[in-house]
Coordinates of all heavy atoms in Angstrom, one line a residue:
M8 N -30.1 -23.5 -0.4 CA -30.3 -22.9 -1.7 C -28.9 -22.8 -2.4 O -28.0 -22.3 -1.8 CB -30.9 -21.5 -1.5 CG -31.0 -20.6 -2.7 SD -31.8 -19.1 -2.4 CE -33.5 -19.6 -2.1
K9 N -28.9 -23.2 -3.6 CA -27.6 -23.2 -4.4 C -27.7 -22.0 -5.4 O -28.5 -22.1 -6.3 CB -27.4 -24.5 -5.1 CG -26.1 -24.6 -5.7 CD -25.0 -24.7 -4.7 CE -23.7 -24.9 -5.4 NZ -22.6 -24.4 -4.7
L10 N -26.8 -21.1 -5.2 CA -26.7 -19.9 -6.1 C -25.7 -20.2 -7.2 O -24.7 -20.8 -6.9 CB -26.4 -18.7 -5.4 CG -27.4 -18.3 -4.2 CD1 -26.8 -17.2 -3.4 CD2 -28.7 -17.9 -4.8
E11 N -26.0 -19.7 -8.4 CA -25.1 -20.0 -9.5 C -24.1 -18.9 -9.9 O -23.1 -19.1 -10.5 CB -25.9 -20.4 -10.8 CG -26.6 -21.7 -10.6 CD -27.4 -22.1 -11.8 OE1 -27.1 -21.6 -12.9 OE2 -28.4 -22.9 -11.6
N12 N -24.5 -17.6 -9.5 CA -23.6 -16.5 -9.9 C -23.8 -15.3 -8.9 O -24.6 -15.3 -8.0 CB -23.8 -16.1 -11.3 CG -25.2 -15.6 -11.6 OD1 -25.8 -14.8 -10.8 ND2 -25.9 -16.1 -12.6
L13 N -22.9 -14.4 -9.1 CA -22.9 -13.2 -8.2 C -24.2 -12.4 -8.2 O -24.7 -12.0 -7.2 CB -21.7 -12.3 -8.6 CG -21.4 -11.1 -7.7 CD1 -21.0 -11.6 -6.3 CD2 -20.3 -10.2 -8.3
N14 N -24.8 -12.3 -9.4 CA -26.0 -11.5 -9.5 C -27.2 -12.2 -8.7 O -28.0 -11.5 -8.1 CB -26.4 -11.3 -11.0 CG -25.5 -10.3 -11.7 OD1 -25.0 -9.4 -11.1 ND2 -25.4 -10.5 -13.0
Q15 N -27.2 -13.5 -8.8 CA -28.2 -14.2 -8.0 C -28.0 -14.0 -6.5 O -29.0 -13.8 -5.8 CB -28.2 -15.7 -8.3 CG -28.8 -16.1 -9.6 CD -28.7 -17.6 -9.8 OE1 -28.0 -18.4 -9.1 NE2 -29.6 -18.1 -10.7
A16 N -26.8 -14.0 -6.1 CA -26.4 -13.8 -4.7 C -26.8 -12.4 -4.3 O -27.4 -12.2 -3.2 CB -25.0 -14.0 -4.4
I17 N -26.5 -11.4 -5.1 CA -26.9 -10.0 -4.8 C -28.4 -9.9 -4.7 O -28.9 -9.2 -3.7 CB -26.3 -9.0 -5.9 CG1 -24.8 -9.0 -5.8 CG2 -26.9 -7.6 -5.7 CD1 -24.1 -8.4 -7.0
D18 N -29.1 -10.4 -5.6 CA -30.6 -10.4 -5.6 C -31.1 -11.0 -4.3 O -32.1 -10.5 -3.7 CB -31.2 -11.1 -6.8 CG -31.0 -10.3 -8.1 OD1 -30.6 -9.1 -8.0 OD2 -31.1 -10.9 -9.2
L19 N -30.5 -12.1 -3.9 CA -31.0 -12.8 -2.7 C -30.8 -11.9 -1.4 O -31.7 -11.9 -0.6 CB -30.3 -14.1 -2.5 CG -30.8 -15.0 -1.4 CD1 -32.3 -15.3 -1.5 CD2 -30.0 -16.3 -1.3
T20 N -29.7 -11.2 -1.4 CA -29.5 -10.3 -0.2 C -30.6 -9.3 -0.1 O -30.9 -8.9 1.0 CB -28.1 -9.6 -0.2 OG1 -28.0 -8.7 -1.3 CG2 -27.0 -10.6 -0.3
K21 N -31.2 -8.9 -1.2 CA -32.2 -7.9 -1.2 C -33.5 -8.4 -0.6 O -34.4 -7.7 -0.3 CB -32.4 -7.3 -2.6 CG -31.2 -6.5 -3.1 CD -31.4 -6.1 -4.5 CE -30.1 -5.5 -5.0 NZ -30.2 -5.2 -6.5
K22 N -33.6 -9.8 -0.5 CA -34.8 -10.4 0.0 C -34.7 -10.8 1.5 O -35.6 -11.3 2.1 CB -35.1 -11.7 -0.8 CG -35.4 -11.4 -2.2 CD -35.6 -12.6 -3.0 CE -35.9 -12.3 -4.5 NZ -36.0 -13.5 -5.3
F23 N -33.5 -10.5 2.1 CA -33.3 -10.8 3.5 C -34.4 -10.0 4.3 O -34.7 -8.9 4.1 CB -31.9 -10.4 4.0 CG -30.8 -11.3 3.6 CD1 -29.5 -11.0 3.9 CD2 -31.0 -12.4 2.8 CE1 -28.5 -11.8 3.5 CE2 -30.0 -13.2 2.4 CZ -28.7 -13.0 2.8
T24 N -35.0 -10.7 5.3 CA -36.0 -10.1 6.1 C -35.4 -9.4 7.3 O -36.1 -8.6 8.0 CB -37.0 -11.1 6.6 OG1 -36.3 -12.1 7.3 CG2 -37.8 -11.8 5.4
Q25 N -34.2 -9.6 7.6 CA -33.5 -8.9 8.7 C -32.1 -8.5 8.2 O -31.6 -9.1 7.3 CB -33.3 -9.8 9.9 CG -34.5 -10.3 10.6 CD -34.2 -11.2 11.8 OE1 -33.1 -11.5 12.0 NE2 -35.2 -11.6 12.5
K26 N -31.6 -7.4 8.8 CA -30.3 -6.9 8.4 C -29.2 -7.8 9.1 O -29.2 -8.0 10.3 CB -30.2 -5.5 8.8 CG -28.9 -4.8 8.4 CD -28.9 -3.4 8.9 CE -27.6 -2.7 8.6 NZ -27.5 -1.3 9.0
P27 N -28.2 -8.3 8.3 CA -27.1 -9.0 8.9 C -26.3 -8.1 9.8 O -26.4 -6.9 9.8 CB -26.3 -9.4 7.7 CG -27.2 -9.4 6.5 CD -28.2 -8.3 6.8
S28 N -25.5 -8.7 10.7 CA -24.7 -7.9 11.6 C -23.7 -7.1 10.8 O -23.4 -7.3 9.7 CB -23.9 -8.9 12.5 OG -22.9 -9.6 11.8
N29 N -23.1 -6.1 11.5 CA -22.1 -5.2 10.9 C -20.9 -6.0 10.4 O -20.4 -5.8 9.3 CB -21.7 -4.1 11.9 CG -22.7 -3.1 12.0 OD1 -23.6 -2.9 11.2 ND2 -22.6 -2.3 13.1
E30 N -20.5 -7.0 11.2 CA -19.4 -7.9 10.8 C -19.7 -8.6 9.5 O -18.9 -8.7 8.6 CB -19.1 -8.9 11.9 CG -17.9 -9.8 11.6 CD -17.6 -10.7 12.7 OE1 -17.6 -10.3 13.9 OE2 -17.2 -11.9 12.4
E31 N -20.9 -9.2 9.4 CA -21.4 -9.9 8.2 C -21.5 -8.9 7.0 O -21.0 -9.3 5.9 CB -22.7 -10.6 8.4 CG -22.6 -11.7 9.4 CD -23.9 -12.2 10.0 OE1 -24.9 -11.4 10.0 OE2 -24.0 -13.3 10.4
L32 N -22.0 -7.8 7.2 CA -22.1 -6.8 6.2 C -20.7 -6.4 5.6 O -20.5 -6.2 4.4 CB -22.9 -5.5 6.6 CG -24.4 -5.7 6.9 CD1 -25.0 -4.5 7.6 CD2 -25.1 -6.0 5.6
L33 N -19.8 -6.2 6.5 CA -18.4 -5.9 6.1 C -17.8 -7.0 5.3 O -17.1 -6.7 4.3 CB -17.5 -5.5 7.3 CG -17.8 -4.2 7.9 CD1 -17.0 -4.0 9.2 CD2 -17.4 -3.0 7.0
K34 N -18.0 -8.2 5.7 CA -17.5 -9.4 4.9 C -18.1 -9.3 3.5 O -17.4 -9.5 2.5 CB -17.8 -10.7 5.6 CG -16.9 -11.0 6.8 CD -17.3 -12.3 7.4 CE -16.6 -12.6 8.6 NZ -17.0 -13.9 9.3
L35 N -19.4 -9.1 3.4 CA -20.1 -9.1 2.1 C -19.5 -8.0 1.3 O -19.3 -8.1 0.1 CB -21.6 -8.9 2.3 CG -22.4 -10.1 2.8 CD1 -23.8 -9.6 3.2 CD2 -22.5 -11.2 1.7
Y36 N -19.4 -6.8 1.9 CA -18.8 -5.6 1.2 C -17.5 -5.9 0.6 O -17.2 -5.7 -0.6 CB -18.8 -4.4 2.1 CG -18.2 -3.2 1.4 CD1 -18.9 -2.4 0.5 CD2 -16.8 -2.9 1.6 CE1 -18.4 -1.3 -0.1 CE2 -16.2 -1.8 0.9 CZ -17.0 -1.0 0.1 OH -16.4 0.0 -0.6
G37 N -16.6 -6.4 1.4 CA -15.2 -6.7 1.0 C -15.1 -7.7 -0.1 O -14.4 -7.5 -1.1
L38 N -15.9 -8.8 0.0 CA -15.9 -9.8 -1.0 C -16.5 -9.3 -2.3 O -16.0 -9.6 -3.4 CB -16.6 -11.1 -0.5 CG -15.9 -11.9 0.6 CD1 -16.8 -12.9 1.2 CD2 -14.7 -12.6 -0.1
Y39 N -17.6 -8.5 -2.2 CA -18.2 -8.0 -3.4 C -17.2 -7.1 -4.1 O -17.1 -7.2 -5.3 CB -19.5 -7.2 -3.0 CG -20.0 -6.4 -4.2 CD1 -20.8 -7.0 -5.1 CD2 -19.8 -5.0 -4.3 CE1 -21.3 -6.4 -6.2 CE2 -20.3 -4.4 -5.4 CZ -21.1 -5.0 -6.4 OH -21.6 -4.3 -7.4
K40 N -16.6 -6.2 -3.4 CA -15.7 -5.2 -4.1 C -14.5 -6.0 -4.7 O -14.0 -5.7 -5.8 CB -15.1 -4.2 -3.1 CG -16.2 -3.2 -2.6 CD -16.8 -2.4 -3.7 CE -16.0 -1.1 -3.9 NZ -16.5 -0.2 -4.8
Q41 N -14.0 -7.0 -4.0 CA -12.8 -7.8 -4.5 C -13.3 -8.5 -5.8 O -12.5 -8.6 -6.7 CB -12.3 -8.7 -3.5 CG -11.0 -9.4 -3.8 CD -9.8 -8.4 -3.9 OE1 -9.8 -7.4 -3.3 NE2 -8.8 -8.8 -4.5
A42 N -14.5 -9.1 -5.7 CA -15.0 -9.9 -6.9 C -15.3 -9.0 -8.1 O -15.1 -9.4 -9.2 CB -16.3 -10.6 -6.5
T43 N -15.7 -7.8 -7.9 CA -16.1 -6.9 -9.0 C -15.0 -6.0 -9.4 O -14.9 -5.6 -10.6 CB -17.3 -6.1 -8.7 OG1 -17.1 -5.3 -7.5 CG2 -18.5 -7.0 -8.4
E44 N -14.1 -5.6 -8.5 CA -13.1 -4.6 -8.9 C -11.6 -5.1 -8.7 O -10.7 -4.4 -9.2 CB -13.3 -3.3 -8.1 CG -14.6 -2.6 -8.4 CD -14.7 -1.3 -7.6 OE1 -13.7 -0.6 -7.4 OE2 -15.9 -1.0 -7.3
G45 N -11.4 -6.1 -8.0 CA -10.1 -6.6 -7.7 C -9.5 -5.9 -6.5 O -10.2 -5.4 -5.6
D46 N -8.2 -5.8 -6.4 CA -7.5 -5.2 -5.2 C -7.9 -3.8 -5.0 O -8.1 -3.0 -5.9 CB -6.0 -5.4 -5.3 CG -5.5 -6.8 -5.2 OD1 -6.2 -7.6 -4.7 OD2 -4.3 -7.0 -5.6
N47 N -8.0 -3.4 -3.7 CA -8.3 -2.1 -3.3 C -7.1 -1.2 -3.5 O -6.0 -1.4 -2.9 CB -8.7 -2.1 -1.8 CG -9.1 -0.7 -1.3 OD1 -8.9 0.3 -2.0 ND2 -9.7 -0.7 -0.1
V48 N -7.2 -0.2 -4.4 CA -6.1 0.7 -4.6 C -6.4 2.1 -4.3 O -5.7 3.1 -4.6 CB -5.6 0.6 -6.1 CG1 -4.9 -0.8 -6.4 CG2 -6.7 0.9 -7.1
G49 N -7.6 2.3 -3.7 CA -8.1 3.6 -3.3 C -7.3 4.2 -2.1 O -6.6 3.5 -1.4
E50 N -7.5 5.5 -1.9 CA -6.9 6.1 -0.7 C -7.7 5.8 0.6 O -8.9 5.6 0.5 CB -6.9 7.6 -0.9 CG -6.0 8.1 -2.0 CD -5.9 9.6 -2.0 OE1 -6.0 10.3 -1.0 OE2 -5.6 10.2 -3.1
K51 N -6.9 5.7 1.6 CA -7.5 5.4 2.9 C -8.4 6.6 3.3 O -8.0 7.8 3.2 CB -6.4 5.2 4.0 CG -6.9 4.8 5.3 CD -5.8 4.5 6.3 CE -6.3 4.1 7.6 NZ -5.2 3.9 8.6
P52 N -9.7 6.3 3.8 CA -10.6 7.4 4.2 C -10.0 8.2 5.4 O -9.1 7.7 6.1 CB -11.8 6.7 4.6 CG -11.7 5.3 4.1 CD -10.2 5.0 4.0
G53 N -10.6 9.4 5.6 CA -10.2 10.2 6.7 C -10.4 9.6 8.1 O -11.2 8.7 8.2
G54 N -9.7 10.1 9.1 CA -9.7 9.5 10.4 C -11.0 9.4 11.1 O -11.2 8.5 11.9
F55 N -12.0 10.2 10.9 CA -13.2 10.2 11.6 C -14.4 9.6 10.8 O -15.5 9.5 11.3 CB -13.6 11.6 12.1 CG -12.7 12.1 13.2 CD1 -11.7 13.1 12.8 CD2 -12.7 11.6 14.4 CE1 -10.8 13.5 13.8 CE2 -11.8 12.0 15.4 CZ -10.9 13.0 15.1
D56 N -14.1 9.1 9.6 CA -15.2 8.4 8.9 C -15.0 6.9 9.2 O -14.5 6.2 8.4 CB -15.0 8.7 7.4 CG -16.3 8.3 6.6 OD1 -17.1 7.5 7.1 OD2 -16.4 8.7 5.4
F57 N -15.5 6.5 10.3 CA -15.3 5.2 10.8 C -16.0 4.1 9.9 O -15.4 3.0 9.7 CB -15.8 5.0 12.2 CG -15.1 5.9 13.2 CD1 -15.8 7.0 13.8 CD2 -13.8 5.8 13.4 CE1 -15.1 7.8 14.7 CE2 -13.1 6.6 14.3 CZ -13.8 7.7 14.9
K58 N -17.1 4.4 9.4 CA -17.8 3.5 8.5 C -17.0 3.2 7.2 O -16.8 2.1 6.8 CB -19.2 4.0 8.2 CG -20.0 3.0 7.3 CD -21.5 3.6 7.1 CE -22.3 2.6 6.3 NZ -23.6 3.2 6.1
A59 N -16.6 4.3 6.6 CA -15.8 4.2 5.4 C -14.4 3.5 5.7 O -14.0 2.7 4.8 CB -15.5 5.6 4.8
A60 N -13.8 3.8 6.8 CA -12.6 3.1 7.2 C -12.8 1.6 7.4 O -11.9 0.8 6.9 CB -12.0 3.7 8.4
A61 N -13.9 1.2 8.0 CA -14.1 -0.2 8.2 C -14.3 -0.9 6.8 O -13.8 -2.0 6.6 CB -15.4 -0.4 9.1
K62 N -15.1 -0.3 5.9 CA -15.3 -0.8 4.6 C -14.0 -0.9 3.8 O -13.7 -1.9 3.2 CB -16.3 0.0 3.9 CG -17.7 -0.1 4.4 CD -18.7 0.9 3.9 CE -19.3 0.5 2.6 NZ -20.3 1.5 2.1
Y63 N -13.2 0.1 3.9 CA -11.9 0.1 3.3 C -11.0 -1.0 3.7 O -10.4 -1.7 2.9 CB -11.2 1.5 3.6 CG -9.8 1.6 3.1 CD1 -9.5 2.0 1.8 CD2 -8.7 1.3 3.9 CE1 -8.2 2.1 1.3 CE2 -7.4 1.4 3.4 CZ -7.2 1.8 2.1 OH -5.9 1.9 1.7
H64 N -10.9 -1.2 5.0 CA -10.1 -2.3 5.6 C -10.6 -3.7 5.3 O -9.9 -4.6 5.0 CB -9.9 -2.1 7.1 CG -9.0 -0.9 7.4 ND1 -7.6 -1.0 7.1 CD2 -9.2 0.3 7.9 CE1 -7.1 0.2 7.4 NE2 -8.0 1.0 7.9
S65 N -12.0 -3.8 5.3 CA -12.6 -5.1 4.9 C -12.2 -5.5 3.5 O -11.8 -6.7 3.3 CB -14.1 -5.0 5.0 OG -14.7 -6.2 4.6
W66 N -12.2 -4.6 2.6 CA -11.8 -4.8 1.2 C -10.3 -5.0 1.1 O -9.8 -6.0 0.5 CB -12.2 -3.7 0.3 CG -12.0 -3.8 -1.1 CD1 -11.6 -4.9 -1.8 CD2 -12.1 -2.8 -2.1 NE1 -11.5 -4.7 -3.2 CE2 -11.8 -3.4 -3.4 CE3 -12.5 -1.5 -2.0 CZ2 -11.8 -2.6 -4.5 CZ3 -12.6 -0.7 -3.2 CH2 -12.2 -1.3 -4.4
L67 N -9.5 -4.2 1.8 CA -8.0 -4.2 1.8 C -7.5 -5.6 2.2 O -6.5 -6.1 1.7 CB -7.4 -3.1 2.6 CG -5.9 -2.9 2.5 CD1 -5.5 -2.5 1.0 CD2 -5.4 -1.8 3.5
N68 N -8.2 -6.2 3.2 CA -7.7 -7.5 3.8 C -7.8 -8.6 2.8 O -7.3 -9.7 3.0 CB -8.6 -7.8 5.0 CG -8.3 -7.0 6.2 OD1 -7.2 -6.4 6.3 ND2 -9.2 -6.8 7.1
L69 N -8.5 -8.4 1.7 CA -8.6 -9.4 0.6 C -7.6 -9.2 -0.5 O -7.7 -9.9 -1.5 CB -10.1 -9.4 0.1 CG -11.1 -9.7 1.1 CD1 -12.5 -9.4 0.5 CD2 -11.0 -11.1 1.6
K70 N -6.7 -8.3 -0.3 CA -5.7 -8.0 -1.4 C -5.0 -9.3 -1.8 O -4.6 -10.1 -1.0 CB -4.7 -7.0 -0.9 CG -3.7 -6.6 -1.9 CD -2.8 -5.5 -1.4 CE -2.0 -4.9 -2.6 NZ -1.2 -3.7 -2.2
G71 N -4.9 -9.5 -3.2 CA -4.3 -10.7 -3.7 C -5.2 -11.8 -4.0 O -4.9 -12.7 -4.8
K72 N -6.4 -11.8 -3.5 CA -7.4 -12.8 -3.8 C -8.0 -12.6 -5.2 O -8.3 -11.4 -5.5 CB -8.6 -12.8 -2.7 CG -9.6 -13.9 -2.9 CD -10.6 -13.9 -1.8 CE -10.1 -14.1 -0.4 NZ -9.7 -15.5 -0.2
S73 N -8.1 -13.6 -6.0 CA -8.6 -13.4 -7.3 C -10.1 -13.1 -7.3 O -10.8 -13.3 -6.3 CB -8.4 -14.7 -8.1 OG -9.4 -15.7 -7.7
K74 N -10.5 -12.4 -8.4 CA -11.9 -12.0 -8.5 C -12.8 -13.2 -8.4 O -13.9 -13.2 -7.7 CB -12.2 -11.3 -9.8 CG -11.6 -9.9 -9.8 CD -12.0 -9.2 -11.1 CE -11.5 -7.7 -11.1 NZ -11.9 -7.0 -12.3
S75 N -12.4 -14.3 -9.1 CA -13.3 -15.5 -9.1 C -13.4 -16.2 -7.7 O -14.4 -16.7 -7.3 CB -12.8 -16.5 -10.2 OG -11.5 -17.0 -9.9
E76 N -12.3 -16.2 -7.0 CA -12.3 -16.8 -5.6 C -13.1 -15.9 -4.7 O -13.9 -16.4 -3.9 CB -10.9 -16.9 -5.1 CG -10.8 -17.6 -3.8 CD -11.3 -19.0 -3.8 OE1 -11.2 -19.7 -4.8 OE2 -11.8 -19.5 -2.8
A77 N -13.0 -14.6 -4.8 CA -13.8 -13.7 -4.0 C -15.3 -13.9 -4.3 O -16.2 -13.9 -3.4 CB -13.4 -12.2 -4.2
E78 N -15.6 -14.1 -5.6 CA -17.0 -14.3 -6.0 C -17.6 -15.6 -5.4 O -18.7 -15.6 -4.9 CB -17.1 -14.3 -7.5 CG -18.6 -14.5 -8.0 CD -18.7 -14.5 -9.5 OE1 -17.8 -13.9 -10.2 OE2 -19.7 -15.0 -10.0
K79 N -16.8 -16.6 -5.5 CA -17.2 -17.9 -4.9 C -17.4 -17.8 -3.4 O -18.4 -18.3 -2.8 CB -16.1 -19.0 -5.1 CG -16.0 -19.5 -6.5 CD -14.9 -20.5 -6.7 CE -14.6 -20.7 -8.2 NZ -13.4 -21.6 -8.4
E80 N -16.6 -17.0 -2.7 CA -16.7 -16.8 -1.2 C -17.9 -16.0 -0.9 O -18.6 -16.2 0.1 CB -15.4 -16.2 -0.7 CG -14.3 -17.2 -0.6 CD -13.0 -16.6 0.0 OE1 -13.2 -15.7 0.9 OE2 -11.9 -17.1 -0.3
Y81 N -18.2 -15.0 -1.8 CA -19.4 -14.1 -1.6 C -20.6 -15.0 -1.7 O -21.5 -14.9 -0.9 CB -19.4 -13.0 -2.6 CG -20.5 -12.0 -2.5 CD1 -20.4 -10.9 -1.7 CD2 -21.7 -12.3 -3.1 CE1 -21.5 -10.0 -1.6 CE2 -22.8 -11.4 -3.0 CZ -22.7 -10.3 -2.3 OH -23.7 -9.4 -2.1
I82 N -20.7 -15.8 -2.7 CA -21.9 -16.6 -3.0 C -22.1 -17.6 -1.8 O -23.2 -17.7 -1.3 CB -21.7 -17.4 -4.3 CG1 -21.8 -16.4 -5.5 CG2 -22.8 -18.5 -4.4 CD1 -21.4 -17.0 -6.8
A83 N -21.0 -18.2 -1.3 CA -21.1 -19.1 -0.2 C -21.5 -18.4 1.0 O -22.4 -18.9 1.8 CB -19.7 -19.8 0.0
L84 N -21.1 -17.2 1.3 CA -21.5 -16.4 2.5 C -23.0 -16.1 2.4 O -23.7 -16.2 3.4 CB -20.6 -15.2 2.6 CG -20.9 -14.3 3.8 CD1 -20.9 -15.0 5.1 CD2 -20.0 -13.1 3.8
V85 N -23.4 -15.7 1.2 CA -24.8 -15.3 1.0 C -25.7 -16.6 1.3 O -26.7 -16.5 1.9 CB -25.1 -14.7 -0.3 CG1 -26.6 -14.6 -0.6 CG2 -24.5 -13.3 -0.5
E86 N -25.3 -17.7 0.7 CA -26.0 -18.9 1.0 C -26.1 -19.3 2.4 O -27.2 -19.6 2.9 CB -25.3 -20.1 0.2 CG -25.5 -20.0 -1.3 CD -24.8 -21.1 -2.1 OE1 -23.8 -21.7 -1.5 OE2 -25.1 -21.3 -3.3
E87 N -25.0 -19.1 3.2 CA -25.0 -19.3 4.6 C -25.9 -18.3 5.3 O -26.7 -18.7 6.2 CB -23.6 -19.2 5.1 CG -23.4 -19.6 6.6 CD -23.8 -21.1 6.9 OE1 -23.6 -21.9 6.0 OE2 -24.3 -21.3 8.0
L88 N -25.8 -17.0 5.0 CA -26.6 -16.0 5.7 C -28.1 -16.2 5.4 O -28.9 -15.9 6.2 CB -26.1 -14.6 5.3 CG -24.7 -14.2 5.7 CD1 -24.4 -12.8 5.1 CD2 -24.6 -14.2 7.2
S89 N -28.4 -16.7 4.2 CA -29.8 -16.8 3.9 C -30.5 -17.8 4.8 O -31.7 -17.7 5.0 CB -30.0 -17.3 2.4 OG -29.5 -18.6 2.3
K90 N -29.8 -18.7 5.4 CA -30.4 -19.6 6.4 C -30.9 -18.9 7.6 O -31.9 -19.3 8.3 CB -29.4 -20.7 6.8 CG -28.9 -21.6 5.7 CD -27.8 -22.5 6.1 CE -27.3 -23.3 5.0 NZ -26.1 -24.1 5.4
S91 N -30.3 -17.7 7.9 CA -30.7 -17.0 9.1 C -31.6 -15.8 8.8 O -32.4 -15.3 9.6 CB -29.4 -16.5 9.8 OG -28.6 -17.5 10.3
Y92 N -31.4 -15.2 7.6 CA -32.1 -14.0 7.3 C -33.2 -14.0 6.3 O -33.8 -13.0 5.9 CB -31.0 -12.9 6.9 CG -30.0 -12.7 7.9 CD1 -28.7 -13.0 7.8 CD2 -30.4 -12.1 9.1 CE1 -27.8 -12.8 8.8 CE2 -29.5 -11.8 10.1 CZ -28.2 -12.2 10.0 OH -27.3 -12.0 11.0
L93 N -33.6 -15.2 5.8 CA -34.7 -15.3 4.9 C -36.0 -15.7 5.6 O -35.9 -16.4 6.6 CB -34.4 -16.2 3.7 CG -33.7 -15.7 2.6 CD1 -33.5 -16.8 1.5 CD2 -34.3 -14.5 1.9

């Protein structure tokens, strides 16, 4: 399946019949945030909020990547995941 834009990719993830792994979800989250907001400039979450910390670091690891490159990578990842989760 060839997706043309971020919105199509987001819509396709909502049709997945199984939940992707936590690692895959973190990749999707980081790429989505980088594509839509750019570099992560937020404060690091508190020490015991492990889910928020994982999401924060997933996005932070993409610092410097352009929004358009992050969007392309997000779309490519959704296309790849759709082979397993649709």
Side-chain angles (χ1 to χ4, degrees):
M8 175 174 292
K9 186 68 177 155
L10 301 170
E11 295 181 21
N12 60 51
L13 188 64
N14 288 333
Q15 285 182 342
I17 293 166
D18 289 343
L19 186 58
T20 64
K21 295 173 184 175
K22 296 176 183 174
F23 286 180
T24 58
Q25 294 179 359
K26 183 178 176 182
S28 71
N29 286 339
E30 183 179 320
E31 292 164 335
L32 289 171
L33 285 171
K34 284 181 186 176
L35 286 169
Y36 175 83
L38 287 168
Y39 171 80
K40 294 296 274 185
Q41 190 71 19
T43 57
E44 297 183 32
D46 288 344
N47 183 348
V48 294
E50 289 188 30
K51 186 176 178 181
F55 292 105
D56 192 345
F57 300 114
K58 184 177 179 179
K62 291 168 83 173
Y63 173 87
H64 288 292
S65 177
W66 183 12
L67 188 65
N68 288 335
L69 299 171
K70 187 173 186 173
K72 186 179 293 287
S73 72
K74 287 182 176 184
S75 63
E76 186 61 30
E78 181 176 340
K79 288 176 191 172
E80 289 183 26
Y81 181 92
I82 291 168
L84 180 56
V85 170
E86 287 174 347
E87 185 63 31
L88 293 176
S89 71
K90 296 174 186 173
S91 299
Y92 298 114
L93 276 181

